[in-house]
Amino acid sequence: MSRHVGSYPLPPYLKTKLLAGGFSTVEDLEDLKPVELSKELKISPEEALEILRVVQGVQNDASSPSSSDEAVKTALDLLQEERHQGCIITFCSALDELLGGGVPLTKITEFCGAPGVGKTQMGMQLAIDVQIPCVFGGLGGEAVYVDTEGSFMVHRLEDMAKAAVEHCRHIATVENNREQLEAMSDFTVEHILSRIHFYRVHDWVELVALINILPEFLQQHPKIRLVVMDSIAFPFRHDFEDLSLRTRLLNGLAQNCIRLADSHKAAVVLVNQMTTKMGHSGDGQAHLVPALGESWGHASTIRVLLFWEAGYRYARLYKSPTREEATVPYQVTMAGIRDVCIPNSTQDVTSDMSQEEGTSHGDHSQRKRPRVS
Amino acid sequence: MSLRKLRRLGLEPELVDRLERHKKLSSCQDILVKVHLELQHLTNLNHSDVQKIVTATSRACAPTPTTALQMKQAGLSSGSAPFFSTSLPGLDQALHGGIPAGSVTEIAGPAGCGKTQFCIMLSVLATLPCEMGGLGGAVVYIDTESAFSAERLVEVAQDRCPHHFSNDDAFYKLTSQVYVHKTPTCSDLWNRLQSLEEELIEKRVRLVVLDSVASVVRKEFDNSLRGNLAQRVKLLAKEAALLKYLAESLNIPIIVTNQITTRFKASWEGPHVLSGDIDAGNGAGASAAVDGGYVTAALGNTWSHSVNTRLIVQYLDDKYREVMVAKSPIAPFSSFVYTIQSSGIVLQDDERIWKSSERVATDPGLIPIKVRTMLGQGGGLVVP
């Protein structure tokens, strides 16, 4: 039952060319690519494409390439998406500036640092901040916390949650915003704790298994906007004889995380440790570098290094596709991660800093961000 | 969990048999380690079937989720205290109640500073009933240096809680509940740790002390030999993982003691850290005045990551010592002055003493520690 090409809604000159070229039925046009057809009939590729589209479109060929074009996005679409996408703030405005608003969604952010610098604190703070209600400029989402080291302590989380609730309540009261005050009824310490899903993973097999089933879990809980892995390094740093296996597993893990972040519009935060690398810097001294090797550096989109210097904690952004490398100070207080007020600076410097903060907050002014102390 | 047999997953029996017999795939770990393509090859199934097998295996291996709220409620209702009070009020307050249960706490410091004394004191406290602030259970004390003294245990008990330990019965109860294991070599220690789980459950142990983890490792591994450093790091990481697992599954505190080492280089600040350690040994002559070197906790960077809480003890002068909370997920950096007396560790609140201890928070792997250079000659504290 093959149709004659003349019965298709094509311009007459194309029909004559087809018939002259010896194409009389649809079957003659099967398996032909536009460029080939255009060379044979001496027509432009666009016209050849049109012929094939019409002929195959009417045949309702579901596997034709035209149907998959809808899945392609233009940069314009992505731009609009990116503008509307939220970030997870950290309550330390310097750090948020560094990251361009906060920890971004659909990307993998890695925090690496020496022991005791505050990586777990950062993870816990983000797990609380992702839950800040939308009326305050937050995402109103839930979090998944995967603990491989056993450093998660509910009491500490409670302290930080209390401080976050106080902060938001203060803003709501000061601005006397009815919506915000109403939202506070859902933003209590109990609610915050109930929206953090906790997994305790003991070895790398459990971690691999968990990442395999996380997509399903995220589908069942569509409000999840953050997955924290604290830490990704610990299970892979001992008991691994076969380094190539380790690299393969880590790559697979990274791929799965990227897919997870993208398809569920969630942020994935990985916490990494540091390792000592012997003498490459020219002076033969050993340096601390992020663990898990060079190839792991490609897995995360954004890398932040946390370190100590002269009694203060600093965060350095050293890999980011959108922001410039910079270093900012932060501190860990009873309330969680906060900004540092440098005590030795003169009045001018502090007023400069606050001016800077004021202007740079301008571009994010569409969202009401809680003021940080 | 990862060694769970495929048999028990509810997959088709012929498939499981075939896998086991011909391809030697019998546990979940074997499946999860392989790439999809490999699995298709081995099982002779198509993509979606292999996907089902992987999903079933993953579901079986992955841990079950809980929420933070459930954890808090479980902690409240379990009856076992989340923190083990050290009976030193300042320290307890800083640590939110005391040594956290379910995690590994490390005490590091120079020789003779009071680490073993601390451990002995905590052992006494652990056997006290819960109403008195103890843990009401047995203690396993793993001694690698033969430093444990039963006489001292009894002396501390007597002086610290004279009311409770007023008759022989109480002493009997105390001493029969502290189980001491001597493990002078690494392999002894590893074997002991592996068989610890059964012992902990059987004897209702509420505290495990390992004094010290550093001595055996430093005796048997020579960092200057090739491959030894990597082996050492691996062994320590394995031990840390096992200790954490025990601490968490039985919800008990585990205390580990560590020694000190000397690092060279003038500046210890910033993200650039320095030369490998030189073992400073345990002698009193551990002077830190080696061309701008300084003394810090031993066992390296990876070990510092592995412990959850780190307390550092150091000398202030001949009589006074100081305990610092160097790393803790729940406490800020703080320090307390103490002395060692017949009743164990006693905190000092004297204002005068505070001035000599200006502490600045920094990387817990790099905190400089003051050691004692001259024995009892009233002088010379080396400050790096």
Side-chain angles (χ1 to χ4, degrees), chain A residues 280-334:
Chain A
H280 275 269
S281 67
D283 53 359
Q285 301 292 342
H287 289 276
L288 277 186
V289 295
L292 296 182
E294 282 298 326
S295 48
W296 178 250
H298 300 295
S300 43
T301 319
I302 298 168
R303 269 187 136 180
V304 179
L305 175 67
L306 305 174
F307 61 95
W308 287 98
E309 190 158 318
Y312 285 103
R313 293 174 154 106
Y314 289 89
R316 176 179 298 156
L317 182 71
Y318 76 79
K319 177 183 178 191
S320 165
T322 52
R323 307 290 298 181
E324 191 185 346
E325 281 189 29
T327 308
V328 296
Y330 70 97
Q331 64 174 340
V332 178
T333 64
M334 269 301 278

Side-chain angles (χ1 to χ4, degrees), chain B residues 34-85:
Chain B
K34 302 215 182 301
V35 187
H36 254 185
L37 202 55
E38 241 183 306
L39 281 174
Q40 276 188 257
H41 214 66
L42 290 171
T43 58
N44 237 343
L45 296 169
N46 64 12
H47 179 82
S48 55
D49 288 341
V50 165
Q51 184 64 41
K52 281 200 207 109
I53 295 180
V54 170
T55 315
T57 320
S58 301
R59 243 186 242 134
C61 275
T64 43
T66 167
T67 66
L69 187 63
Q70 287 167 351
M71 285 169 73
K72 175 183 165 195
Q73 288 163 344
L76 288 174
S77 63
S78 75
S80 65
F83 294 100
F84 169 34
S85 161

Side-chain angles (χ1 to χ4, degrees), chain A residues 113-116 119 121 149-159 190 193-194 196-206 209-210 212-213 216-217 234 237-239 241 248 273-276 278 285-288 307-311, chain B residues 1-2 29 32-35 54-55 58-59 61-69 71-72 82-83 96 100 103 229 234 237-238 241 244-245 248 265 269-275 301-302 304-306 308 327 329-330 360-364:
Chain A
K119 309 185 291 293
Q121 306 295 312
E149 293 186 328
S151 38
F152 184 81
M153 296 211 170
V154 189
H155 298 271
R156 178 63 178 139
L157 194 67
E158 249 185 297
D159 286 344
E190 295 240 329
L193 291 187
S194 69
I196 298 182
H197 304 273
F198 180 78
Y199 285 92
R200 175 71 172 99
V201 165
H202 290 102
D203 58 32
W204 61 268
V205 182
E206 284 186 27
L210 178 61
N212 281 344
I213 62 166
E216 202 184 307
F217 187 77
F234 188 68
R237 292 189 79 187
H238 61 100
D239 231 9
E241 298 300 334
R248 176 160 62 76
Q273 295 176 347
M274 303 292 268
T275 184
T276 321
M278 293 301 174
Q285 301 292 342
H287 289 276
L288 277 186
F307 61 95
W308 287 98
E309 190 158 318
Chain B
M1 276 270 218
S2 47
Q29 182 168 342
L32 288 174
V33 138
K34 302 215 182 301
V35 187
V54 170
T55 315
S58 301
R59 243 186 242 134
C61 275
T64 43
T66 167
T67 66
L69 187 63
M71 285 169 73
K72 175 183 165 195
F83 294 100
H96 236 265
S103 77
L229 183 56
K234 249 209 213 151
K238 272 201 307 201
K244 280 203 218 193
Y245 170 70
E248 280 169 27
K265 198 141 188 218
E269 307 174 313
H272 310 293
V273 176
L274 355 139
S275 63
N301 176 265
T302 311
S304 301
H305 276 298
S306 308
N308 298 114
K327 174 183 177 188
I330 205 171
V360 176
T362 183
D363 184 338

Side-chain angles (χ1 to χ4, degrees), chain B residues 56-304:
Chain B
T57 320
S58 301
R59 243 186 242 134
C61 275
T64 43
T66 167
T67 66
L69 187 63
Q70 287 167 351
M71 285 169 73
K72 175 183 165 195
Q73 288 163 344
L76 288 174
S77 63
S78 75
S80 65
F83 294 100
F84 169 34
S85 161
T86 59
S87 79
L88 305 171
L91 189 61
D92 278 348
Q93 198 183 29
L95 291 175
H96 236 265
I99 309 269
S103 77
V104 176
T105 305
E106 181 202 49
I107 306 180
C113 209
K115 308 188 294 292
T116 307
Q117 298 302 309
F118 223 121
C119 293
I120 291 182
M121 186 184 80
L122 291 172
S123 306
V124 171
L125 293 174
T127 56
L128 293 178
C130 296
E131 308 85 60
M132 288 183 65
L135 295 176
V139 175
V140 165
Y141 196 105
I142 304 179
D143 187 3
T144 63
E145 300 174 318
S146 294
F148 183 80
S149 155
E151 282 281 359
R152 180 66 177 137
L153 184 78
V154 165
E155 187 188 4
V156 168
Q158 198 159 35
D159 284 349
R160 203 159 194 104
C161 324
H163 298 304
H164 186 80
F165 292 102
S166 51
N167 55 354
D168 277 346
D169 228 9
F171 284 117
Y172 177 73
K173 215 164 150 255
L174 164 69
T175 48
S176 60
Q177 280 200 305
V178 176
Y179 300 92
V180 180
H181 298 290
K182 293 205 197 285
T183 57
T185 67
C186 275
S187 51
D188 280 342
L189 178 57
W190 181 241
N191 292 338
R192 172 59 54 194
L193 288 178
Q194 283 186 309
S195 61
L196 207 50
E197 191 172 343
E198 291 92 12
E199 187 181 351
L200 295 183
I201 300 175
E202 194 185 7
K203 298 181 181 156
R204 281 179 227 272
V205 173
R206 307 297 317 154
L207 172 70
V208 175
V209 178
L210 173 49
D211 179 20
S212 70
V213 70
S215 63
V216 276
V217 161
R218 293 169 107 194
K219 264 192 299 199
E220 297 186 17
F221 289 91
D222 182 356
N223 278 2
S224 56
L225 293 180
R226 272 189 58 183
N228 262 14
L229 183 56
Q231 291 277 20
R232 187 178 101 157
V233 169
K234 249 209 213 151
L235 175 64
L236 286 173
K238 272 201 307 201
E239 285 179 5
L242 182 51
L243 287 171
K244 280 203 218 193
Y245 170 70
L246 289 172
E248 280 169 27
S249 28
L250 300 170
N251 202 24
I252 54 175
I254 293 192
I255 305 207
V256 172
T257 59
N258 193 5
Q259 295 170 349
I260 49 167
T261 183
T262 313
R263 279 192 201 275
F264 294 102
K265 198 141 188 218
S267 89
W268 43 269
E269 307 174 313
H272 310 293
V273 176
L274 355 139
S275 63
D277 359 340
I278 307 265
D279 289 340
N282 233 354
S287 79
V290 195
D291 278 331
Y294 66 97
V295 169
T296 183
L299 296 184
N301 176 265
T302 311
W303 176 256
S304 301

Side-chain angles (χ1 to χ4, degrees), chain B residues 14-31:
Chain B
E14 323 88 58
L15 177 62
V16 177
D17 271 335
R18 184 155 37 110
L19 288 175
E20 216 173 273
R21 229 176 316 122
H22 297 302
K23 315 290 177 183
K24 312 275 183 292
L25 298 173
S26 59
S27 70
C28 290
Q29 182 168 342
D30 298 330
I31 295 277

Side-chain angles (χ1 to χ4, degrees), chain A residues 32-219:
Chain A
L32 212 58
K33 290 278 176 200
V35 175
E36 260 183 85
L37 186 62
S38 75
K39 283 197 188 134
E40 261 202 65
L41 297 181
K42 307 226 186 334
I43 52 178
S44 72
E46 287 85 3
E47 287 165 333
L49 187 58
E50 195 196 325
I51 294 176
L52 288 172
R53 278 269 169 77
V54 167
V55 166
Q56 283 160 2
V58 174
Q59 273 198 332
N60 230 4
D61 197 31
S63 60
S64 80
S66 54
S67 61
S68 62
D69 281 342
E70 276 81 274
V72 170
K73 286 187 187 165
T74 63
L76 181 63
D77 298 327
L78 288 178
L79 183 64
Q80 283 166 346
E81 267 180 28
E82 276 176 32
R83 285 247 171 88
H84 284 120
Q85 211 166 71
C87 298
I88 307 175
I89 66 168
T90 60
F91 269 139
C92 167
S93 60
L95 206 48
D96 290 340
E97 267 313 299
L98 188 73
L99 295 169
V103 171
L105 296 183
T106 76
K107 303 239 178 346
I108 301 188
T109 308
E110 180 181 329
F111 287 97
C112 39
V117 77
K119 309 185 291 293
T120 306
Q121 306 295 312
M122 189 71 75
M124 292 204 267
Q125 182 73 65
L126 290 170
I128 294 175
D129 291 347
V130 72
Q131 302 183 34
I132 294 177
C134 301
V135 290
F136 289 100
L139 296 173
E142 300 183 357
V144 168
Y145 196 100
V146 179
D147 187 9
T148 63
E149 293 186 328
S151 38
F152 184 81
M153 296 211 170
V154 189
H155 298 271
R156 178 63 178 139
L157 194 67
E158 249 185 297
D159 286 344
M160 292 167 94
K162 272 188 205 137
V165 167
E166 263 318 299
H167 201 106
C168 291
R169 183 184 303 282
H170 180 74
I171 293 177
T173 333
V174 159
E175 302 199 8
N176 215 357
N177 182 325
R178 201 173 53 92
E179 268 181 6
Q180 290 181 346
L181 287 167
E182 276 172 16
M184 286 312 294
S185 63
D186 200 29
F187 191 61
T188 65
V189 174
E190 295 240 329
H191 281 113
I192 295 179
L193 291 187
S194 69
R195 290 195 280 246
I196 298 182
H197 304 273
F198 180 78
Y199 285 92
R200 175 71 172 99
V201 165
H202 290 102
D203 58 32
W204 61 268
V205 182
E206 284 186 27
L207 187 59
V208 171
L210 178 61
I211 302 217
N212 281 344
I213 62 166
L214 261 185
E216 202 184 307
F217 187 77
L218 257 63
Q219 264 175 346

